[in-house]
Each structure stands twice: as C-alpha cells, then as structure tokens.
C-alpha cells in the first residue's frame, strides 16, 4: 500500500487503490489510534471581535484561522485533524473552496497529506451572512 | 486558561480567548480522554408511542428527552455529551431553539458548561412533520 | 435489556425500550470501547473509474461498495461501523433508500443488527449528478 502517509505515529491518511483518487485536497480515510480527542464546534468566518468578511474567500481564511486557534489552544495543529465536515450555502462557492484549499492547505498541512472532508450544500447557517462553516475532530 | 471548566475527569469544555465567545449555550471545543463512546442516531420529536407535537418547542422538548433516555439507558447523563449536531428545517425556528436552550440547558447541564454544537438549516428531515433533529456523541 | 446485540466484543447496538423502535434498518445507539477508529469521508456513487450511475439505486449500491472497499482496505468490514450519516438530495428518494437498505443490509450486516444512521435532506452534493452521500465512522 504505497499511498499510506504517516503523519504522526497515531494518524494515517489513506487512499486505497480500490477507491477513486480524491480530486481535491482530502483523503478517503483516516486511521487513528488515540484515546484523547478534540471535538471542535462548526466554525464560521467571524473573527474574535465579531467581524465577518462579506466575501467567501475572506470567510474561508477566517474559518481555518479559527480552527487553527482552537487547535493551538490545546497544543495541537492541523496535523492532529482526523476529520472535517464542510457546509456551504451556495454551490457557486464550490470552485472558490477548491481554490482556497489548493492555495492554502499545503501551508496548513506541511506533510502534504490531507484529512477526510465531507462537503455539503445546505440551506443556511446560523446567520444569513455566513457562507461556510467547518466542523472538525482532532486526535491528540 | 481560566475559562476551562472540568465536568468529569475526562471531559473539558473550552472557549479559548483566541476565539469569539459563544453567543449561545455551547462551547467551541471539547477535549475528551476516553476509550468508550456512545454514538446516538439523530433524534426527532417523536415519543415512544409515535406521537409528535406539531410545534417546534414541543419537538425540542421531546428531542432532548429522547437523548436523555438514550444516555440514561447506558448509565450516562448529559454530562457525558461531547458533541451535538443540530438540524433545523426552518431558519425562523432559530430564535425558538435559542430560547429553548437558554431556558432548559441550565437544568440539563448542571455544571453550567455546554458541549459544542453545530447548527445547520437543511431542506427536510425523514418526515415532513419533523422540525428539528439532533445527533450526539457521548464519552463514558 | 434483551435488545442488546453483541457484534464484536467492543461494539454494541442498542435500542432501549424508552425510545421508539427504529422503523428502518438502524439502531438508536452504538456503545463502543475502542482506541482505534476509521473516519471515512462521505462516499458518493462514483466508481474507481469515475463512472456514476444516473439512478438512485445504482448510486446507493456504489456508495456502499465504496464504504465496503474503504473498510476492507483496513482489514475491517461493515461489522466495524459505529455510525453512518446519510445525505439525500431529493426527499422522493427516501422510499428508495429504505428499499435499498431493507434489501441489502441483511447481507452487508450478517449479525442482523444495524448501526445508527442520521438521514438528512440537503440542497446539493459536490456535483449535481450525485443523489446520495454517506459518511461513516468505524472502530477497529
């Protein structure tokens, strides 16, 4: 299985040959051995002071900054993420989400391997201004 | 980190200063050390006999009664919850959901600390009559 | 509690008498004791070569074939699943999803006990052609 990448002793991201290869920066499977986990509530594009960029890309940047801050508060980093779930309000933003990840994920995930993500288009988030929300699970 | 609250030895709810403070009864992060978990299927507002209140508030009450019953069946309580995901069909019900939690969560969560929740507006649930569904993960 | 079914030493599917009995092939609760987990990204009805059946039933078959392949790649099977989340684009497909499970789950889950599932109708998946997506968590 040459496409296993070892990030930390406990987390492997896997794309077995029996599944189609992901066409975006994510993996099909995380295999994780851990007894301590973080559950991070869905993060939106609002910063600590309550400001939210109007544009999708600005919200994306803030969402992942928030997740990074949540991880950092526990001494963790994006290398600890085992699962993302991403909710978009507008399908027109899918290409922008793809572009954001292609541009930024190699910096956030230094290993070059990316956690599983499930991408869903839904009606609305808690406030109408929010265009993207991402929840995450991490292993310590 | 003064805003850590210890519920049980194994579950901490955290709101680091680098994130905006939650404006509702939830926390940004759960940190949990456990080797035994409950995964509770999304619960709707139907009681054991098949009856479902027509109104949102009545369904809310039943949803959390169902989750409480699921927890109690395993000797657990709301103090064991590590994550909620909440699905609403109508965004007009968001204020009612906020009001329900403000009113009832202090009773359900005696510690005064609340688990992460991701709140999503979707098209529909399994039957048209259902206005809210909540899934949960708990740690034992 | 006569309605506990033991699948493996570590995974129990439970339907306590205090909750309504599931009207489809799923259980209300998984109780799992494990320190190794698989997080499987939402699978759609596309096969390894990039082909996607146009019809819902064909997509269902492929979705669960993909999940089965993900499990098999780690030496696991459907007996290791602890949670499903299912997203449908059209509520008209709910009866087809029920029919698929009634027909196929007894074969996939030889024990006759089924993991919790949360069934949600959303706007759209990553491509317009996809009618169903299922994400899963498994314990090893």
């Amino acid at each position: 299985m040459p496409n296993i990448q070892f990030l930390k002793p406990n987390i492997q991201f896997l794309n077995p040959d029996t599944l189609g290869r992901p066409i975006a920066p994510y993996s099909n499977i995380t295999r994780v051995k851990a007894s301590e986990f973080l559950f991070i509530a869905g993060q939106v594009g609002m910063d600590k002071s309550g400001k939210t960029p109007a544009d999708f890309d600005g919200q994306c940047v803030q969402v992942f900054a928030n997740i990074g801050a949540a991880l950092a508060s526990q001494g963790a980093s994006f290398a600890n993420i085992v699962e993302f779930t991403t909710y978009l309000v507008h399908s027109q933003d899918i290409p922008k989400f793809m572009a954001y990840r292609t541009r930024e994920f190699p910096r956030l995930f230094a290993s070059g391997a990316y956690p599983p993500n499930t991408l869903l288009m839904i009606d609305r988030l808690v406030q109408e201004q929010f265009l993207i929300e991402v929840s995450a699970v991490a292993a310590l």
Side-chain angles (χ1 to χ4, degrees), chain A:
Chain A
M1 257 184 281
N3 53 2
I4 300 178
Q5 300 199 43
F6 291 89
L7 295 183
K8 311 192 10 163
N10 293 340
I11 300 177
Q12 300 169 46
F13 294 144
L14 303 120
N15 288 299
D17 291 338
T18 44
L19 292 177
R21 292 199 70 75
I23 52 166
Y26 72 87
S27 302
N28 275 305
I29 310 170
T30 298
R31 180 169 182 158
V32 55
K33 195 168 171 57
S35 63
E36 193 159 15
F37 291 90
L38 304 178
F39 291 86
I40 302 176
Q43 296 295 314
V44 292
M46 184 182 278
D47 72 12
K48 197 194 154 180
S49 73
K51 281 198 286 287
T52 304
D55 66 302
F56 181 84
D57 197 63
Q59 291 195 17
C60 256
V61 168
Q62 189 61 49
V63 161
F64 285 95
N66 289 347
I67 294 172
L71 292 163
S73 77
Q74 302 311 303
S77 75
F78 283 95
N80 296 90
I81 294 283
V82 297
E83 184 184 58
F84 284 129
T85 308
T86 302
Y87 305 93
L88 304 187
V89 174
H90 302 302
S91 60
Q92 302 94 302
D93 290 334
I94 298 176
K96 297 179 198 168
F97 181 59
M98 295 291 184
Y100 169 82
R101 290 188 294 179
T102 302
R103 191 180 77 227
E104 299 294 340
F105 269 27
R107 190 176 57 79
L108 298 180
F109 297 88
S111 72
Y114 306 108
N117 179 51
T118 298
L119 176 59
L120 306 160
M121 258 55 62
I122 65 168
D123 270 8
R124 219 195 85 157
L125 298 168
V126 65
Q127 295 179 17
E128 273 197 302
Q129 63 176 332
F130 298 136
L131 305 172
I132 176 171
E133 180 158 345
V134 180
S135 64
V137 181
L140 299 182

